[in-house]
Amino acid sequence: MQSRHKILRRPKIVVIGGGTGLSVMLRGLKEKPLDITAIVTVADDGGSSGILRNELQIPPPGDIRNVLMALADAEPLLTEVLQYRFKTVPGLAGHSLGNLMLAAMTDISGDFVTGIRELSRVLAVRGRVLPAAGTAIVLKAEMVDGTIITGESMIPKAGKVIKRVFLEPTDVEPLQEAVEAIEQADAILIGPGSLYTSIIPNLLVPKLAHAIVESEAVKLFVCNVMTQPGETDNYSVGDHLDAIHAHIGHHLFDYVIVNDGEIPPQIESKYAELGSKAVHLDLDAVTQKGYEVIADRLVLFRTFLRHDAERLSHHIYKLVENWMLRKR
């Protein structure tokens, strides 16, 4: 009876990343019987987030806002209102209402993490949303030619090949709740998202990386569908994994989830004009390094290519469920 109870409990999954890809995936995962904790990057320094970060001295709210919206159980109209971005109002132009609300909640509560928790309650968020650190961090990149670029938003615009990224300060302290969530997790899921500016910054927080390495949870990597200009030009799946290994110094993942669905030629052409192409699955190279690959048709196209949240979350849940059953 006890073991049956353990099998039936909701698996604890920690999802780590930032950006649009993470939010899309979470919309699918929240429909599964999972206990979700999302750990979100705080390196963003562009747009509305960058302005609020600099003027109010708070961590950037943009990626946090998107994840809250993805996990919210609120009325669609409320979600739409919070994502609304002012266009012409002096002093407000470029800001989303959700970013301003997070800034207001932080001011009212006196603490960014408490502000997130309070807004999560208002939005009936399914799960927890935590920043990777309690303060904003500065992301820097060393390019292959030796140039140092400062600022998350500036790195993809440099037009150079990235050698490595690093944090300033290098010894940034993670949020203790985030470390504890990783220690208690049944599954740790990293990606999708901008490799060097959304995913790796979280893994550069020393105690977070150590907690992931030490964890006995099943570890999954969801690879991007398309390369990103200025970050992962011509990268294969294996190149993504090699970049993470080079920064962390450890083989992190048990499974790699990738898209092998065909992308229509007209859509490929549209992305090619922007300098982006489908991430090539170098299957032999990836499996030889000890990763187990789950490949499926995982893309949808509306205005942009996005992961099929329902199909992707199905694969993730089955992997987590099977892992827990094997552990019993």
mmCIF file of all heavy atoms in Angstrom, residues 126-153:
data_model
loop_
_atom_site.group_PDB
_atom_site.id
_atom_site.type_symbol
_atom_site.label_atom_id
_atom_site.label_comp_id
_atom_site.label_asym_id
_atom_site.label_seq_id
_atom_site.Cartn_x
_atom_site.Cartn_y
_atom_site.Cartn_z
ATOM 1 N N ARG A 126 -0.514 27.309 -11.232
ATOM 2 C CA ARG A 126 -0.366 25.888 -10.926
ATOM 3 C C ARG A 126 1.116 25.566 -10.776
ATOM 4 O O ARG A 126 1.800 25.247 -11.745
ATOM 5 C CB ARG A 126 -0.956 25.039 -12.050
ATOM 6 C CG ARG A 126 -2.441 25.249 -12.283
ATOM 7 C CD ARG A 126 -2.958 24.205 -13.258
ATOM 8 N NE ARG A 126 -4.188 24.616 -13.897
ATOM 9 C CZ ARG A 126 -4.796 23.912 -14.842
ATOM 10 N NH1 ARG A 126 -4.270 22.765 -15.246
ATOM 11 N NH2 ARG A 126 -5.913 24.345 -15.386
ATOM 12 N N GLY A 127 1.609 25.655 -9.576
ATOM 13 C CA GLY A 127 3.023 25.405 -9.336
ATOM 14 C C GLY A 127 3.690 26.616 -8.705
ATOM 15 O O GLY A 127 3.033 27.578 -8.304
ATOM 16 N N ARG A 128 5.024 26.555 -8.625
ATOM 17 C CA ARG A 128 5.809 27.653 -8.064
ATOM 18 C C ARG A 128 6.706 28.233 -9.143
ATOM 19 O O ARG A 128 7.234 27.508 -9.995
ATOM 20 C CB ARG A 128 6.694 27.160 -6.928
ATOM 21 C CG ARG A 128 5.980 26.906 -5.627
ATOM 22 C CD ARG A 128 6.993 26.655 -4.510
ATOM 23 N NE ARG A 128 7.899 25.548 -4.815
ATOM 24 C CZ ARG A 128 9.007 25.275 -4.133
ATOM 25 N NH1 ARG A 128 9.391 26.056 -3.148
ATOM 26 N NH2 ARG A 128 9.743 24.230 -4.444
ATOM 27 N N VAL A 129 6.899 29.552 -9.076
ATOM 28 C CA VAL A 129 7.815 30.234 -9.986
ATOM 29 C C VAL A 129 8.864 30.935 -9.135
ATOM 30 O O VAL A 129 8.529 31.738 -8.254
ATOM 31 C CB VAL A 129 7.076 31.249 -10.881
ATOM 32 C CG1 VAL A 129 8.065 31.944 -11.827
ATOM 33 C CG2 VAL A 129 5.969 30.554 -11.679
ATOM 34 N N LEU A 130 10.127 30.608 -9.380
ATOM 35 C CA LEU A 130 11.222 31.157 -8.587
ATOM 36 C C LEU A 130 12.296 31.737 -9.494
ATOM 37 O O LEU A 130 12.646 31.132 -10.518
ATOM 38 C CB LEU A 130 11.867 30.057 -7.731
ATOM 39 C CG LEU A 130 10.968 29.308 -6.739
ATOM 40 C CD1 LEU A 130 11.732 28.122 -6.157
ATOM 41 C CD2 LEU A 130 10.491 30.239 -5.638
ATOM 42 N N PRO A 131 12.857 32.895 -9.150
ATOM 43 C CA PRO A 131 14.036 33.371 -9.878
ATOM 44 C C PRO A 131 15.246 32.518 -9.506
ATOM 45 O O PRO A 131 15.311 31.975 -8.397
ATOM 46 C CB PRO A 131 14.195 34.815 -9.390
ATOM 47 C CG PRO A 131 13.574 34.816 -8.028
ATOM 48 C CD PRO A 131 12.465 33.802 -8.059
ATOM 49 N N ALA A 132 16.186 32.373 -10.428
ATOM 50 C CA ALA A 132 17.390 31.584 -10.135
ATOM 51 C C ALA A 132 18.196 32.210 -9.005
ATOM 52 O O ALA A 132 18.878 31.513 -8.254
ATOM 53 C CB ALA A 132 18.245 31.461 -11.388
ATOM 54 N N ALA A 133 18.108 33.548 -8.886
ATOM 55 C CA ALA A 133 18.794 34.263 -7.810
ATOM 56 C C ALA A 133 17.899 35.406 -7.364
ATOM 57 O O ALA A 133 17.020 35.841 -8.113
ATOM 58 C CB ALA A 133 20.144 34.791 -8.290
ATOM 59 N N GLY A 134 18.102 35.891 -6.153
ATOM 60 C CA GLY A 134 17.261 36.953 -5.619
ATOM 61 C C GLY A 134 17.613 38.329 -6.131
ATOM 62 O O GLY A 134 16.892 39.289 -5.896
ATOM 63 N N THR A 135 18.741 38.438 -6.834
ATOM 64 C CA THR A 135 19.160 39.719 -7.400
ATOM 65 C C THR A 135 19.468 39.533 -8.878
ATOM 66 O O THR A 135 19.751 38.418 -9.338
ATOM 67 C CB THR A 135 20.432 40.246 -6.697
ATOM 68 O OG1 THR A 135 21.457 39.244 -6.796
ATOM 69 C CG2 THR A 135 20.161 40.530 -5.226
ATOM 70 N N ALA A 136 19.415 40.631 -9.614
ATOM 71 C CA ALA A 136 19.751 40.576 -11.036
ATOM 72 C C ALA A 136 21.227 40.238 -11.208
ATOM 73 O O ALA A 136 22.062 40.589 -10.370
ATOM 74 C CB ALA A 136 19.441 41.916 -11.702
ATOM 75 N N ILE A 137 21.541 39.538 -12.285
ATOM 76 C CA ILE A 137 22.932 39.201 -12.565
ATOM 77 C C ILE A 137 23.326 39.786 -13.916
ATOM 78 O O ILE A 137 22.477 39.997 -14.789
ATOM 79 C CB ILE A 137 23.168 37.672 -12.572
ATOM 80 C CG1 ILE A 137 22.202 36.973 -13.536
ATOM 81 C CG2 ILE A 137 23.020 37.109 -11.179
ATOM 82 C CD1 ILE A 137 22.392 35.487 -13.641
ATOM 83 N N VAL A 138 24.599 40.054 -14.072
ATOM 84 C CA VAL A 138 25.125 40.564 -15.344
ATOM 85 C C VAL A 138 25.749 39.392 -16.096
ATOM 86 O O VAL A 138 26.602 38.685 -15.565
ATOM 87 C CB VAL A 138 26.170 41.672 -15.112
ATOM 88 C CG1 VAL A 138 26.781 42.111 -16.440
ATOM 89 C CG2 VAL A 138 25.534 42.860 -14.390
ATOM 90 N N LEU A 139 25.292 39.180 -17.325
ATOM 91 C CA LEU A 139 25.839 38.121 -18.166
ATOM 92 C C LEU A 139 26.851 38.718 -19.135
ATOM 93 O O LEU A 139 26.586 39.739 -19.774
ATOM 94 C CB LEU A 139 24.709 37.435 -18.950
ATOM 95 C CG LEU A 139 25.120 36.215 -19.785
ATOM 96 C CD1 LEU A 139 25.557 35.066 -18.886
ATOM 97 C CD2 LEU A 139 23.977 35.780 -20.696
ATOM 98 N N LYS A 140 28.009 38.082 -19.227
ATOM 99 C CA LYS A 140 29.040 38.512 -20.167
ATOM 100 C C LYS A 140 29.419 37.339 -21.067
ATOM 101 O O LYS A 140 29.236 36.178 -20.688
ATOM 102 C CB LYS A 140 30.282 39.022 -19.430
ATOM 103 C CG LYS A 140 30.041 40.292 -18.622
ATOM 104 C CD LYS A 140 31.341 40.864 -18.088
ATOM 105 C CE LYS A 140 31.110 42.206 -17.404
ATOM 106 N NZ LYS A 140 32.403 42.836 -16.997
ATOM 107 N N ALA A 141 29.932 37.657 -22.239
ATOM 108 C CA ALA A 141 30.370 36.616 -23.170
ATOM 109 C C ALA A 141 31.767 36.922 -23.666
ATOM 110 O O ALA A 141 32.092 38.067 -23.995
ATOM 111 C CB ALA A 141 29.408 36.515 -24.348
ATOM 112 N N GLU A 142 32.596 35.879 -23.695
ATOM 113 C CA GLU A 142 33.895 35.970 -24.364
ATOM 114 C C GLU A 142 33.731 35.342 -25.738
ATOM 115 O O GLU A 142 33.290 34.202 -25.862
ATOM 116 C CB GLU A 142 34.971 35.224 -23.577
ATOM 117 C CG GLU A 142 36.332 35.276 -24.250
ATOM 118 C CD GLU A 142 37.373 34.404 -23.567
ATOM 119 O OE1 GLU A 142 37.072 33.805 -22.514
ATOM 120 O OE2 GLU A 142 38.505 34.300 -24.116
ATOM 121 N N MET A 143 34.049 36.124 -26.758
ATOM 122 C CA MET A 143 33.917 35.628 -28.118
ATOM 123 C C MET A 143 35.207 34.922 -28.554
ATOM 124 O O MET A 143 36.255 35.060 -27.921
ATOM 125 C CB MET A 143 33.601 36.798 -29.070
ATOM 126 C CG MET A 143 32.337 37.555 -28.682
ATOM 127 S SD MET A 143 30.926 36.475 -28.383
ATOM 128 C CE MET A 143 29.546 37.562 -28.643
ATOM 129 N N VAL A 144 35.110 34.158 -29.619
ATOM 130 C CA VAL A 144 36.267 33.404 -30.112
ATOM 131 C C VAL A 144 37.441 34.330 -30.423
ATOM 132 O O VAL A 144 38.608 33.951 -30.244
ATOM 133 C CB VAL A 144 35.864 32.566 -31.353
ATOM 134 C CG1 VAL A 144 37.087 32.002 -32.058
ATOM 135 C CG2 VAL A 144 34.933 31.427 -30.938
ATOM 136 N N ASP A 145 37.157 35.568 -30.850
ATOM 137 C CA ASP A 145 38.234 36.505 -31.173
ATOM 138 C C ASP A 145 38.774 37.246 -29.949
ATOM 139 O O ASP A 145 39.611 38.142 -30.070
ATOM 140 C CB ASP A 145 37.776 37.514 -32.233
ATOM 141 C CG ASP A 145 36.692 38.469 -31.739
ATOM 142 O OD1 ASP A 145 36.283 38.345 -30.558
ATOM 143 O OD2 ASP A 145 36.259 39.335 -32.522
ATOM 144 N N GLY A 146 38.277 36.893 -28.744
ATOM 145 C CA GLY A 146 38.771 37.505 -27.515
ATOM 146 C C GLY A 146 37.959 38.687 -27.021
ATOM 147 O O GLY A 146 38.168 39.154 -25.898
ATOM 148 N N THR A 147 37.033 39.177 -27.831
ATOM 149 C CA THR A 147 36.178 40.287 -27.424
ATOM 150 C C THR A 147 35.291 39.880 -26.246
ATOM 151 O O THR A 147 34.794 38.756 -26.204
ATOM 152 C CB THR A 147 35.257 40.721 -28.590
ATOM 153 O OG1 THR A 147 36.054 40.959 -29.747
ATOM 154 C CG2 THR A 147 34.468 41.973 -28.237
ATOM 155 N N ILE A 148 35.088 40.793 -25.303
ATOM 156 C CA ILE A 148 34.164 40.577 -24.194
ATOM 157 C C ILE A 148 32.924 41.445 -24.426
ATOM 158 O O ILE A 148 33.035 42.661 -24.605
ATOM 159 C CB ILE A 148 34.793 40.944 -22.828
ATOM 160 C CG1 ILE A 148 36.068 40.132 -22.588
ATOM 161 C CG2 ILE A 148 33.783 40.739 -21.703
ATOM 162 C CD1 ILE A 148 35.858 38.650 -22.422
ATOM 163 N N ILE A 149 31.761 40.826 -24.432
ATOM 164 C CA ILE A 149 30.495 41.531 -24.610
ATOM 165 C C ILE A 149 29.751 41.504 -23.280
ATOM 166 O O ILE A 149 29.619 40.450 -22.656
ATOM 167 C CB ILE A 149 29.616 40.874 -25.701
ATOM 168 C CG1 ILE A 149 30.388 40.748 -27.019
ATOM 169 C CG2 ILE A 149 28.317 41.659 -25.897
ATOM 170 C CD1 ILE A 149 30.762 42.052 -27.672
ATOM 171 N N THR A 150 29.251 42.654 -22.854
ATOM 172 C CA THR A 150 28.527 42.758 -21.590
ATOM 173 C C THR A 150 27.041 42.968 -21.841
ATOM 174 O O THR A 150 26.659 43.841 -22.612
ATOM 175 C CB THR A 150 29.065 43.933 -20.746
ATOM 176 O OG1 THR A 150 30.447 43.703 -20.463
ATOM 177 C CG2 THR A 150 28.304 44.057 -19.433
ATOM 178 N N GLY A 151 26.229 42.147 -21.192
ATOM 179 C CA GLY A 151 24.781 42.312 -21.268
ATOM 180 C C GLY A 151 24.100 41.248 -22.101
ATOM 181 O O GLY A 151 24.461 41.039 -23.267
ATOM 182 N N GLU A 152 23.102 40.592 -21.506
ATOM 183 C CA GLU A 152 22.365 39.512 -22.174
ATOM 184 C C GLU A 152 21.812 39.950 -23.516
ATOM 185 O O GLU A 152 21.882 39.216 -24.497
ATOM 186 C CB GLU A 152 21.240 39.037 -21.236
ATOM 187 C CG GLU A 152 20.332 37.974 -21.805
ATOM 188 C CD GLU A 152 19.116 38.553 -22.507
ATOM 189 O OE1 GLU A 152 18.830 39.755 -22.369
ATOM 190 O OE2 GLU A 152 18.455 37.770 -23.224
ATOM 191 N N SER A 153 21.257 41.155 -23.587
ATOM 192 C CA SER A 153 20.623 41.612 -24.823
ATOM 193 C C SER A 153 21.627 41.948 -25.918
ATOM 194 O O SER A 153 21.284 41.978 -27.106
ATOM 195 C CB SER A 153 19.740 42.833 -24.542
ATOM 196 O OG SER A 153 20.524 43.908 -24.056
#
